[in-house]
């Protein structure tokens, strides 16, 4: 049988030296002589590739907000029988869902305009499910073309997979079993658990952080701290995103609730540069969403902390794992 190597010519290969000034490929020593005081422009048209090698002071500004939007009311939210005959990715919005998406877009615009800055823009990440795409199209109506920096369809933002065409009676049985087993770890037959969603959202989060670090949302020289990222997705997926971002525990995830169709949750850049829910939302709103007192204390820290800082006194997880400290402290001081 012929191999790859058997197709190579048997005669010696003649090499021809190409003059350096006629070669389109630049040598590494030519890059080394580049003036680092001027912007580095990639010859293939992707200047952002070189931003990570620039001095720290030239790092792109972080977007002002990451806005999480749940899709508007869908046919499946009104009648679960829809899933027996329509594939989940193809379920559409209702007329009410379309109106909810438009209202959410108007609310986002009002929120941004309150900043009082003129150079703001929005950049969208969206689940490829039809109800998410329809939400995006209607959500974007209040924004002129010049205000939209871009959009990326992101399959990792899709809804939790509940299986293929769903049997309504079987789904009732499965959801009852999920209550007994636990919402995070229960995997639907031919589908996913929330833990599976967590794994893919972890990958998306790393992509998002990389996009923020290289300033993918605007070309070099046009970057503004008034960029707003909008993630259009699904209820459980967005709860998992927040769990992964803020390192909440499984128990804390179990206590969260979906926010309404066409509603948003805002992660806004705090005074130190980290993203914090308390910059936009009240403690009461976040408690209604399901945040505990310990989670709210952590959000207070997020409000003032800088990127890269660690919260060594965090009460989010410690007390739930170690229960003997009080006894030790009492015995220490009683002796």
């Amino acid at each position: 049988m012929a191999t790859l190597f058997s197709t190579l010519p048997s005669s010696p290969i003649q090499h021809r030296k190409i003059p350096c000034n006629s070669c389109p490929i630049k040598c590494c020593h030519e890059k080394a002589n580049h003036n680092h005081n001027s912007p580095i422009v990639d010859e293939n048209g992707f200047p952002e590739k070189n931003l990570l090698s620039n001095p720290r002071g030239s790092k792109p500004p972080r977007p002002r907000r990451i806005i999480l939007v749940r899709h508007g009311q869908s046919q499946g939210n009104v009648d679960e029988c829809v899933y027996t005959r329509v594939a989940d990715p193809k379920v559409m919005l209702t007329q009410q869902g379309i109106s909810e998406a438009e209202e959410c877009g108007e609310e986002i615009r009002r929120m941004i305009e309150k900043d009082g800055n003129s150079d703001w823009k929005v950049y969208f990440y969206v689940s490829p499910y039809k109800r998410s795409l329809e939400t995006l199209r209607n959500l974007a109506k209040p924004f002129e073309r010049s205000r939209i920096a871009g959009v990326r369809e992101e399959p990792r933002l899709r809804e939790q997979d509940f299986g293929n065409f769903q049997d309504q009676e079987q789904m009732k049985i499965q959801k009852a079993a999920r209550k007994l087993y636990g919402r995070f770890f229960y995997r639907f037959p031919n589908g996913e658990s929330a833990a599976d969603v967590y794994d893919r959202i972890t990958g998306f989060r790393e992509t998002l952080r990389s996009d923020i670090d290289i300033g993918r949302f605007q070309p070099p020289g046009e970057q503004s701290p008034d960029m707003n990222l909008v993630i259009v997705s699904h209820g459980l997926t967005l709860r998992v995103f927040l769990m992964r971002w803020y390192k909440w525990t499984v128990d804390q995830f179990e206590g969260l609730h979906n926010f309404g169709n066409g509603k948003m949750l805002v992660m806004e850049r705090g005074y130190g540069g980290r993203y914090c829910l308390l910059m936009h939302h009240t403690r009461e709103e976040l408690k209604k969403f399901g945040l505990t007192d310990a989670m709210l204390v952590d959000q207070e820290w997020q409000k003032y902390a800088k990127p890269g800082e660690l919260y060594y006194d965090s009460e989010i997880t410690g007390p739930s794992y170690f229960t003997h400290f009080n006894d030790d402290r009492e015995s220490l001081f009683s002796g």
Side-chain angles (χ1 to χ4, degrees):
M1 180 168 57
T3 67
L4 171 65
F5 298 100
S6 66
T7 61
L8 296 175
S10 58
S11 58
I13 298 174
Q14 300 297 319
H15 296 280
R16 180 169 62 89
K17 188 172 182 180
I18 301 175
C20 187
N21 58 4
S22 66
C23 181
I25 303 175
K26 301 299 180 182
C27 300
C28 56
H29 72 269
E30 292 181 81
K31 287 186 178 180
N33 293 330
H34 185 87
N35 179 4
H36 291 286
N37 293 324
S38 61
I40 302 174
V41 179
D42 185 87
E43 292 183 0
N44 294 320
F46 299 100
E48 68 272 13
K49 285 184 178 180
N50 297 299
L51 287 171
L52 292 178
S53 63
N54 282 354
R56 185 178 295 271
S58 62
K59 202 169 183 179
R62 305 185 97 203
R64 179 174 292 275
R65 298 179 184 87
I66 302 174
I67 304 167
L68 310 181
V69 175
R70 186 184 175 198
H71 64 79
Q73 184 192 73
S74 73
Q75 296 169 330
N77 294 133
V78 176
D79 179 10
E80 290 190 351
C81 289
V82 169
Y83 296 113
T84 66
R85 59 183 184 273
V86 180
D88 198 357
K90 297 180 180 179
V91 172
M92 301 170 62
L93 292 184
T94 63
Q95 190 57 51
Q96 178 178 324
I98 291 173
S99 298
E100 289 170 344
E102 290 184 20
E103 290 169 8
C104 186
E106 291 167 359
E107 185 178 353
I108 290 174
R109 174 150 193 157
R110 287 193 298 269
M111 175 180 63
I112 294 173
E113 287 180 335
K114 283 182 181 178
D115 297 334
N117 301 313
S118 60
D119 61 346
W120 61 268
K121 289 190 177 184
V122 289
Y123 186 99
F124 297 99
Y125 293 88
V126 62
S127 157
Y129 279 27
K130 192 160 189 175
R131 55 190 179 274
S132 302
L133 295 172
E134 289 181 333
T135 298
L136 170 66
R137 294 186 183 106
N138 289 282
L139 178 80
K141 285 182 179 178
F143 301 99
E144 301 87 357
R145 182 183 295 271
S146 61
R147 293 294 187 183
I148 299 176
V151 61
R152 177 186 294 178
E153 183 177 289
E154 177 50 76
R156 288 172 293 183
L157 289 173
R158 68 188 184 275
E159 174 64 291
Q160 178 184 4
D161 192 343
F162 295 101
N164 299 312
F165 290 104
Q166 298 171 19
D167 181 291
Q168 192 174 14
E169 292 304 315
Q170 187 61 32
M171 283 303 294
K172 289 179 181 178
I173 295 172
Q174 296 297 333
K175 288 183 178 180
R178 180 177 61 172
K179 280 187 178 180
L180 295 174
Y181 195 90
R183 286 194 301 159
F184 188 75
F185 292 112
Y186 185 81
R187 179 180 285 123
F188 286 88
N190 300 314
E192 291 180 303
S193 65
D196 295 322
V197 179
Y198 184 97
D199 292 341
R200 57 175 158 90
I201 285 298
T202 294
F204 169 70
R205 177 180 177 271
E206 295 311 307
T207 298
L208 180 61
R209 290 186 63 178
S210 176
D211 286 352
I212 290 172
D213 285 344
I214 67 174
R216 184 177 299 282
F217 317 110
Q218 291 170 297
E222 300 178 19
Q223 291 162 345
S224 164
D226 295 306
M227 173 60 65
N228 296 267
L229 308 185
V230 182
I231 298 176
V232 183
S233 185
H234 308 262
L236 180 134
T237 307
L238 294 174
R239 282 182 281 136
V240 169
F241 175 85
L242 289 165
M243 175 191 182
R244 181 62 184 86
W245 188 281
Y246 290 116
K247 302 177 179 62
W248 293 338
T249 67
V250 171
D251 281 346
Q252 288 162 346
F253 169 83
E254 296 274 3
L256 299 177
H257 309 288
N258 272 344
F259 40 104
N261 290 113
K263 301 300 181 183
M264 65 178 179
L265 205 64
V266 180
M267 303 163 60
E268 187 167 328
R269 202 173 63 229
Y271 304 112
R274 295 177 74 102
Y275 291 104
C276 173
L277 297 171
L278 279 173
M279 291 297 295
H280 179 82
H281 299 281
T282 66
R283 295 174 67 90
E284 289 69 28
E285 287 174 328
L286 296 179
K287 279 189 173 183
K288 186 176 181 181
F289 176 55
L291 269 67
T292 64
D293 288 339
M295 296 161 78
L296 289 170
V297 169
D298 179 70
Q299 286 297 314
E300 288 287 356
W301 177 82
Q302 302 278 351
K303 188 186 291 188
Y304 297 96
K306 297 178 181 178
E309 287 186 349
L310 298 176
Y311 187 15
Y312 293 101
D313 297 323
S314 174
E315 292 288 326
I316 286 188
T317 59
S320 64
Y321 294 106
F322 307 111
T323 59
H324 62 289
F325 291 135
N326 287 338
D327 292 340
D328 284 357
R329 190 178 299 114
E330 288 171 6
S331 61
L332 176 67
F333 287 106
S334 63

